[in-house]
Amino acid sequence: MALGFFDGVHLGHQSLLLQTKKIAEKNNLKFSVMTFDPHPNEVIKLEKDLRYLTPLALKIERMAAIGVDKLFVIKFNLSFASLLPSDFIKQYVLGLHAKHLVVGFDFTFGNKAQGTVDYLQKVSKNDPFDVTVISKQVHDDEKISSTLIRKIVRDGDVHLVPSYLGHHFEIKGVVYSSNRHKHEKKENMEIHTENKYILPAQGVYSVEIKNGNRTCHGLFIRYGSSKRNDEISGQIIEMLKGGVAEEVTVKFLKQIPFESKSQCSKNFKEVIK
């Protein structure tokens, strides 16, 4: 069983999960994962506006794609956060009959993060489970982490994401025809995303848009304002004529750069027309 929050299921997470899968197959065990929801910081640090690379539904999809046999999603609340490390082991390791734990080098658990990798290795000597610790995964001398990837997305540097995530940053959203542009030849469509998704900085992005088996390229116009919904444009408009709300997946390829702030402002206004 792999343990962790796994936001993004990035390259570091993938290394850990694939090692777990290998151990499971070798020992004829179920490949299982334990994750938590919501993020501990929402409960412990009261970060109510915390945004995710992979909200829970998308994280579950990514786990299934990797081949996870069993996924345990533990509700993270104050009661769970206050568990002593020994109680966590009793309830969530021995209680689930886990035979082998796989964790990252900096994994912590239990009240005030008292449970550490060293603690796990120590108690495993007397309990019927083994522990494998996965070392730090780096790119360009930086630790691959969800925190770093979220910053990259927030900064609008979406072209850098594949080096850490293993693929382009994606979101799922619902689009419908915007009446605002009906008088013009080119119409944009408003897009509503799940509130928990992190989104890039204000600007215009080159994106790939997928709806079912149909894929096209287009633009994602990020307003970054609560008063105006973000929009997408491109061939997707031809695909979804009639203004019917449909779910799409948007893959961010790169931000469209401008030479100066004034040029950015001018071009931004031109694009959103």
Side-chain angles (χ1 to χ4, degrees):
M1 181 166 68
L3 287 81
F5 191 76
F6 303 116
D7 185 30
V9 196
H10 57 58
L11 288 174
H13 296 148
Q14 290 170 39
S15 174
L16 188 153
L17 292 168
L18 291 175
Q19 183 64 24
T20 309
K21 187 177 185 179
K22 195 177 293 183
I23 293 169
E25 289 172 349
K26 182 180 178 181
N27 294 282
N28 197 29
L29 298 169
K30 290 284 188 184
F31 170 27
S32 61
V33 174
M34 179 182 291
T35 190
F36 314 97
D37 185 70
H39 193 284
N41 285 356
E42 287 197 51
V43 175
I44 297 169
K45 297 183 179 180
L46 301 179
E47 293 182 22
K48 296 303 180 186
D49 196 37
L50 196 145
R51 302 301 177 99
Y52 298 87
L53 296 165
T54 46
L56 183 59
L58 183 55
K59 189 196 296 187
I60 291 171
E61 275 186 33
R62 295 276 159 83
M63 293 291 182
I66 289 172
V68 173
D69 294 315
K70 279 189 176 183
L71 178 65
F72 299 98
V73 181
I74 308 300
K75 183 174 178 58
F76 197 97
N77 52 30
L78 288 175
S79 175
F80 179 78
S82 63
L83 276 178
L84 292 173
S86 57
D87 289 333
F88 176 89
I89 296 293
K90 191 181 298 181
Q91 292 180 44
Y92 294 98
V93 179
L94 300 178
L96 293 174
H97 309 291
K99 301 298 183 186
H100 198 125
L101 302 183
V102 184
V103 296
F105 72 101
D106 54 356
F107 178 72
T108 59
F109 62 98
N111 188 36
K112 297 180 180 178
Q114 295 175 67
T116 63
V117 166
D118 289 341
Y119 176 84
L120 274 180
Q121 291 175 321
K122 182 180 177 182
V123 298
S124 70
K125 292 175 182 176
N126 300 315
D127 284 315
F129 64 87
D130 295 314
V131 176
T132 292
V133 179
I134 304 300
S135 59
K136 179 169 63 174
Q137 305 292 305
V138 299
H139 175 74
D140 283 349
D141 297 324
E142 283 195 276
K143 174 192 167 188
I144 297 175
S145 70
S146 303
T147 301
L148 175 62
I149 300 169
R150 284 193 290 265
K151 182 182 184 304
I152 290 170
V153 172
R154 278 197 197 96
D155 290 346
D157 297 324
V158 293
H159 63 287
L160 299 176
V161 169
S163 296
Y164 300 89
L165 206 55
H167 52 80
H168 289 283
F169 174 61
E170 295 179 351
I171 63 170
K172 290 181 185 291
V174 174
V175 294
Y176 61 87
S177 182
S178 168
N179 292 327
R180 178 164 52 249
H181 306 284
K182 271 192 173 179
H183 61 286
E184 299 178 13
K185 290 181 182 178
K186 185 175 181 180
E187 181 183 340
N188 295 337
M189 299 187 83
E190 294 187 358
I191 179 164
H192 293 261
T193 57
E194 185 179 337
N195 290 334
K196 290 294 183 181
Y197 268 114
I198 191 169
L199 288 169
Q202 182 190 45
V204 181
Y205 296 85
S206 172
V207 296
E208 183 181 285
I209 306 161
K210 186 174 182 181
N211 171 250
N213 295 322
R214 301 170 296 183
T215 303
C216 73
H217 283 81
L219 296 176
F220 185 99
I221 301 119
R222 171 73 175 138
Y223 292 104
S225 167
S226 59
K227 296 179 181 178
R228 190 166 187 179
N229 293 321
D230 298 329
E231 296 180 350
I232 57 175
S233 66
Q235 290 176 322
I236 190 71
I237 292 156
E238 296 301 316
M239 292 181 188
L240 306 176
K241 279 183 176 178
V244 179
E246 291 195 44
E247 185 178 77
V248 297
T249 298
V250 180
K251 180 187 294 184
F252 288 83
L253 306 178
K254 63 179 180 179
Q255 185 172 17
I256 298 175
F258 299 109
E259 292 178 4
S260 65
K261 286 187 178 179
S262 59
Q263 184 71 13
C264 175
S265 176
K266 180 182 176 183
N267 280 269
F268 187 72
K269 288 174 183 175
E270 287 299 315
V271 170
I272 65 177
K273 284 181 180 178

